[in-house]
C-alpha cells in the first residue's frame, strides 16, 4: 500500500518562505515522476492546478506562476519529495498535494495532468497572509 504523506504546511506572511515535504512509503521500484499540485480555497477538485514536477532523471517543470520562487527536489535515499517556496504571495494560499507515478515514464511533458499520477497524498494547507 503506497502512502504519500505531506508535511510542512502552515501560515506565513507575504514574502516569507516555507518548505513542504512528502514522504513516500509502501512501494518497491522507482517512481518515474513526482509532482506537487494545489487547490485554492473555494475551488473544487476541477480547480486543482499543477505546480511543479520532477522525473527520475531530475528534469523539472514549473507552472509559470511559481517559476523563480518555488524549487522542487527529491531525496531518493529517504524517499522524500520537497517543495521549497520563497517569496510567497496570497495567491499561493491553497491545499498542497504531492503525487507520484509508478508506471514507466510517460515523458515530462505530461507533468501537469492529474491522470499522469497513480497515487496522491492527503494534502497540507499553506496560508499566506498580508
Amino acid at each position: 500500500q503506497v502512502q504519500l504523506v505531506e508535511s510542512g504546511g502552515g501560515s506565513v506572511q507575504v514574502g516569507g518562505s516555507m518548505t513542504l515535504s512528502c514522504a513516500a512509503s509502501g512501494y518497491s521500484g522507482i517512481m518515474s515522476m513526482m509532482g506537487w499540485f494545489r487547490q485554492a480555497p473555494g475551488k473544487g477538485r476541477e480547480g486543482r492546478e499543477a505546480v511543479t514536477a520532477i522525473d527520475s532523471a531530475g528534469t523539472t517543470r514549473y507552472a509559470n506562476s511559481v517559476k523563480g520562487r518555488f524549487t522542487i527536489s527529491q531525496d531518493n535515499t529517504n524517499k522524500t519529495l520537497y517543495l521549497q517556496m520563497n517569496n510567497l504571495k496570497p495567491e499561493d494560499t491553497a491545499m498542497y498535494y504531492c503525487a507520484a507515478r509508478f508506471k514507466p515514464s510517460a515523458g515530462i511533458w505530461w507533468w501537469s495532468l492529474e491522470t499522469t499520477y497513480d497515487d496522491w497524498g492527503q494534502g497540507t494547507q499553506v496560508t499566506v497572509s498580508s
Side-chain angles (χ1 to χ4, degrees):
Q1 181 79 15
V2 174
Q3 275 199 315
L4 301 175
V5 180
E6 302 95 336
S7 61
S11 297
V12 65
Q13 290 194 321
V14 169
S17 298
M18 183 178 288
T19 301
L20 305 182
S21 300
C22 173
S25 63
Y27 71 96
S28 59
I30 299 172
M31 289 182 283
S32 59
M33 190 179 304
M34 294 193 77
W36 289 96
F37 286 71
R38 66 186 181 185
Q39 187 170 331
K43 291 193 175 182
R45 174 66 185 269
E46 66 280 1
R48 188 176 293 187
E49 63 170 342
V51 176
T52 179
I54 185 168
D55 69 9
S56 57
T59 304
T60 59
R61 289 292 184 272
Y62 295 91
N64 288 335
S65 58
V66 306
K67 276 181 183 175
R69 300 188 299 121
F70 289 14
T71 303
I72 189 172
S73 61
Q74 59 187 3
D75 183 335
N76 291 323
T77 302
N78 294 325
K79 299 181 180 179
T80 303
L81 181 72
Y82 300 98
L83 180 63
Q84 173 66 43
M85 304 184 293
N86 297 325
N87 191 20
L88 283 160
K89 304 176 180 181
E91 51 264 41
D92 295 318
T93 295
M95 184 72 79
Y96 283 72
Y97 300 89
C98 76
R101 177 180 175 87
F102 296 92
K103 299 183 187 72
S105 175
I108 192 69
W109 44 84
W110 301 113
W111 72 277
S112 63
L113 299 180
E114 291 189 44
T115 52
T116 294
Y117 303 89
D118 303 308
D119 289 277
W120 295 77
Q122 292 301 304
T124 185
Q125 178 67 38
V126 173
T127 302
V128 184
S129 57
S130 55

